[in-house]
Amino acid sequence: MNNNTEKINEILNIFGDKSRKAYVRSFGCQLNVSDGEKIKGLLKKMGFSFTEDENSADLIIFNTCAVRESAEDRVFGIIGSMKKLKELNPSLIIGISGCMTAQGHVAEKIRKSYPQVDFVLGTSAINALPGLLLDCLRGRKFAADISEYDDFSETAEQVRENPFKASVPIMFGCNNFCTYCIVPYVRGRERSRMPQDIISEVTQLVNDGYKEIMLLGQNVNSYGNDLSGEMSFPQLLRELNDIDGDFIIRFMSSHPKDASQELIDAIFECEKVAKHLHLPVQSGSSEVLMRMNRRYSVEKYLDIVDSIRSRDPEFSLTTDLIVGFPDESDEEFRSTLELIKQVKYDNIYSFIYSKRSGTKAAEMHDAVSAEEKSCRMRELLELQREITTEHYKRFIGRKMRVLADDVSKKREGFLTGKSNEFIIVEFEGDKSLIGQFVDVEITDAMNWAVTGKIV
Ligand code: SAM
Ligand code: SF4
Ligand code: F3S
């Protein structure tokens, strides 16, 4: 860190009185967005203010995602379009960080084919940003650091995007190696943060007025496995629930193979923990789950669902699904449709399988055409729309506690927010309520939200 202090001071000296603006854009999951907030924290120390307009920026950082090919293509398209901006402003500095940079072939492609990029910053190397920037300011053509700095997260200051909702990573990396997934290759092995550090951070956030705390990890249920049994995730939930203050605790993602009875008990017994579980199933076929290396069967998954719904038949569940995994048969796909009919999710996040080089699934035979995969996706989405419309009706007449989030983009005079159950709620209300909890009586249900009146 001392090393960085010197570099930061040198950068501040180079800039002098001149104001500097940075444009930082994060793609992908909330863990990456959280990294983007840490990048901004470092930039703030280096004297940068922030802009939402890349045309007025002195520094641009794209914090990238590699989970699907479409995500990468989008970033390559955007980097390509930066060439013009760089021609107009040769002193502009452009950096690429995040998961794309951790794949050797991608980092090489950036270096070779996109000369407008000045530096590449690896997923565990955010701490190297001042050094890289200094290199660029001293005229170096291309700088890169993809080393791992373990100490960084506990010392990082963040520029948080939202004044009342905060993301708190509780662990980094993933050990699961689902055969389709690039994350373990670009984020490394699981590392849990110390419980005391998480509890202190959440306590501070609550004291600062944050109302929603989102705990993040690729599999929060394996939190603590690397801490010699110091604390499990359900225990951590109970500790955080004991912090004084009016706030809600959410978490994601929860791997079904590690979802325990203790977790379910903690959700029901902790009043500040949201009554919602995001439980990614990925497929409704046990054969496909095996090929995905998910390490649970559909039966085991349904046991967890039953255990939750036996305590609250209307408990809100959401999931992630992959359509068109290599050689997914029509029958296997139909099992997924059956599963979503049976579980009745409030929402699903579904993705067409994307081949990621370096993963096991990339080597698997795949006879399913792209057209067939799109067809299946449409069928799945159509079914889920019907389920959501029907299922949301259970909320009509109920009172929901909602954290008002923003003004509605669809209806003048309306606000939008998320209920405790993670349902989008629209209601008439004044902007001054944004960032506060309100009670809303639900009067109508649509296929993407429910509406109601403040009571
Ligand atoms: N760790 C989380 C879990 O296991 O549920 C998932 C994190 S991943 C970033 C988010 C979602 O992206 C996954 O649940 C999966 O549905 C989807 N995904 C991951 N790799 C994919 C791929 N190669 N093609 C399509 N979807 C993918
Ligand atoms: Fe990817 Fe599986 Fe890890 Fe989730 S648990 S990040 S899907 S490898
Ligand atoms: Fe994407 Fe990396 Fe997250 S691959 S989904 S940004 S961990």
Side-chain angles (χ1 to χ4, degrees), residues 67 173-185 190 217-219 253 255 257 280 282 292-295 320 322:
V67 79
C174 181
N175 289 355
N176 294 310
F177 289 94
C178 303
T179 53
Y180 50 81
C181 187
I182 195 75
V183 172
Y185 301 91
E190 277 176 12
Q218 292 301 351
N219 173 16
S253 276
H255 197 305
K257 82 176 165 62
Q282 312 298 355
M292 288 178 164
N293 190 33
R294 289 292 287 180
R295 287 179 273 172
D320 289 353
I322 293 180

Side-chain angles (χ1 to χ4, degrees), residues 440-455:
V440 178
E441 191 177 305
I442 305 306
T443 51
D444 206 359
M446 297 164 287
N447 66 11
W448 57 276
V450 296
T451 49
K453 284 195 204 96
I454 296 183
V455 286

